[in-house]
Amino acid sequence: MNFIKRAGITLWAKKGRTLLLIVTAAVILLFVMTGLIIQNAALQAAKTATNSVGSTVTLSTNREAAFKAMQSEMSSVSSSSNSGSNRPKMTEYTTSLSAVEKIAQLSNVASYNITNTAQVAASGFSAITSDNSGQGGQFNNDNAAISLSGVSTTAGNSDFTSGSNKIKNGRGIETSDKNSNNAVISQELAKSNNLKVGSTVTVKYTNDSDDTSTYKLKVVGIYADTTSDSADSFRDPANTIYTNYTMVNTVKNTPDQVSNVSFTMADSSKTQAFVKAATKDINTKQMQLTSDSTAYEQTAKQMQTVASYANKIVWVVTVAGALILGLIIILMTRERRHESGILVALGESKIKILGQYFVELIVILAIGLGIATASGQAMSGVVGKQLVNQSISAAQNNQTGTNGAGAVPGNMQAGGRQGFNNHQISGSLANKQSLQTVITPGTILELGGVALLIAVLSVAGASSTILRLQPKKILQDD
Amino acid sequence: MTLTVKNLSHWYTNPDEALYRDVNLTFEDGKFYAIVGESGSGKTTLLSFLAGLDLPATGEIAVNGKAIEQIGLTAYRRHEVSTIFQAYNLLTTMSAYQNLATALAITQSSRAKDKAYIFDVLAQVGIDEQKAVKSVQKLSGGEQQRVAIARSLAVDAPIVLADEATGNLDHDNSLKIIELFQNLAHQHGKTVILITHDQALALKADKKILLEKQRFTQVKA
């Protein structure tokens, strides 16, 4: 009859007390487990956020320099010349394609997407007319109602990666469409003009010298616009036609020139290092590199906040649990002083008596751990969802009134939309911020460690009264 | 085997109010001793010293010349002495059988798992198998006392101490227990020391020690 067997006999003999202790332990461990699961899930989500949300660096016209150049030009000609069509225009600086490809070879570039635009007129088909077509000047007719948006691939373009646009028929623009006239049009444009995949549309481009050129585009895909927002109040986004950037360069007669590139980082933490390296390959008087890790940092920060909350839950509940269980064990150990005295009088060592109490508590905690594990998955899912929702809500409140927050700077010419808008950022973040609360063997081990700690602290606290007393006094006091 | 008490004195708080002073006693194996005294005279306190449950203020208790402190109190209680308490002091979450098994396990006896032996010892004190497997809380006071006696018998310690071991027993059972003690001493060579206020029972002992006015006086039984 060793002390382990004595522990079993005692637990069985006092079933009611044992059951109460198991329930108490299960409740405490359930809260600790919930905290651990959420903490681990949030940390994992923060880590994943860097890969899924990512960080981008945009190479674009140095608008400040372009504006200064325009101002300088304005001041150098007579004021009468600065009116109407003679007014100096802000130059859209470009860089060579080879320079872009060189920068793309730098480490940490996961992918890149070249974008450019040209305003063209529909020929042989009609552009979509929007309700606010009365606003604005030159856009108030069909002459330049079509926005030709050049991209490397539609899959890498922010309008598509954000979920605003989705390919409904055919395919998107791919890298193989380089130097082709393949195009992707909107569903509205296709419907109103009876166009389908395989159709050909003609557009006209008028340059600064009022020379007009005609270009045929072959429809390879049709996209649907899932949002009602329009960053541009003068044009209906349905009038955006996506082509490979080489097509836009052909239309604008700017071969091998790039005005806007978006580089996606493989490791968001190395963004600044990339910017520093890439700056050496550009003319900073004309081009600029701007990084935007807002989405990544925001997502990672929110997940880390959730992890921090969960960590606090874990500590608070662990300490509270240890105290509660410890006090209960101390009370019960005091009740069992007489039993301890008998065992000591029989010649049992005090250490083995403490060992018996420890084994009893471990058995109770093990059963409690089983119950907590069984119900922890459900509880952590509910609590985790609440925490994430609160976190997103706080983020959305912070973003209200911040126009274009997270928009990629310098991406003004990137197409029908100005990079991410507020709705897209929140939606994007919300998509990334669902916590994957699962119970892993690691979580159970961690919880087991917490249970063991509670057992050790509880028995240690309770044991001092036993260790200090002499058996005669124990037996006489009772 | 000889159990000796040398120059033992004890007080609780004030040395001037000693319970007893300079007690010198010798207990030999194969003998049955009875210590008799009035209630509150300090008999149980002496037994607690002999049982290794407490230490006197001054003096020494030795087994074969070796102080029990040198042996180690836990080892002494485990291997040298078994005590039958007035309040039985059984483990109430266990049955009679389990109480004996526990005591045998603690004393590291080779018979800890010998069911037949345990039931036999219980039978010697009149506890049958049916009662042996019941929780001791379901036994009467007298039956519990007999289980306590059986526990002491089972561990087969050289020294057996009994504090009012027959207090809850009827006359016949009391005599049976006294016979057991005599048997232990004479047949098995144990040193049996019985604390009692019952003069009639004390007469059954080989030697009687009288505790009176803080003094122990050995008288013929």
Side-chain angles (χ1 to χ4, degrees), chain A residues 12-24:
Chain A
W12 185 252
K14 300 277 186 185
K15 293 184 210 43
R17 185 190 74 180
T18 302
L19 188 60
L20 275 174
L21 281 172
I22 288 172
V23 170
T24 306

Side-chain angles (χ1 to χ4, degrees), chain A residues 44 68-69 91 112 119 128 178 180 203 244 284 288 290 318 328 337 352 435 438 458:
Chain A
Q44 184 61 36
K68 280 181 183 171
T91 305
Y112 68 99
Q119 305 311 316
I128 303 296
K178 200 173 177 182
S180 75
V203 296
N244 187 272
T284 54
Q288 64 180 9
T290 46
T318 299
I328 293 173
R337 284 170 70 246
K352 284 189 180 175
L435 276 181
V438 292
S458 301

Side-chain angles (χ1 to χ4, degrees), chain B residues 51-65:
Chain B
L53 298 176
D54 199 2
L55 291 171
T58 64
E60 179 189 270
I61 294 169
V63 174
N64 292 333

Side-chain angles (χ1 to χ4, degrees), chain A residues 249-271:
Chain A
N249 274 350
T250 301
V251 167
K252 292 169 81 170
N253 197 24
T254 53
D256 292 329
Q257 290 299 304
V258 176
S259 61
N260 191 294
V261 188
S262 186
F263 296 95
T264 302
M265 299 293 100
D267 182 349
S268 301
S269 62
K270 294 177 183 171
T271 300

Side-chain angles (χ1 to χ4, degrees), chain A residues 294-313:
Chain A
T294 304
Y296 144 67
E297 285 171 358
Q298 197 168 20
T299 302
K301 190 179 175 185
Q302 284 166 5
M303 286 297 109
Q304 280 159 359
T305 302
V306 172
S308 175
Y309 289 152
N311 182 258
K312 288 182 175 63
I313 291 174

Side-chain angles (χ1 to χ4, degrees), chain A residues 5-56:
Chain A
K5 203 170 176 184
R6 281 205 311 266
I9 290 172
T10 304
L11 286 173
W12 185 252
K14 300 277 186 185
K15 293 184 210 43
R17 185 190 74 180
T18 302
L19 188 60
L20 275 174
L21 281 172
I22 288 172
V23 170
T24 306
V27 169
I28 290 168
L29 291 174
L30 179 59
F31 279 105
V32 175
M33 171 160 269
T34 299
L36 282 172
I37 292 172
I38 293 172
Q39 180 186 28
N40 291 339
L43 285 172
Q44 184 61 36
K47 194 177 170 184
T48 306
T50 63
N51 297 326
S52 63
V53 175
S55 169
T56 57

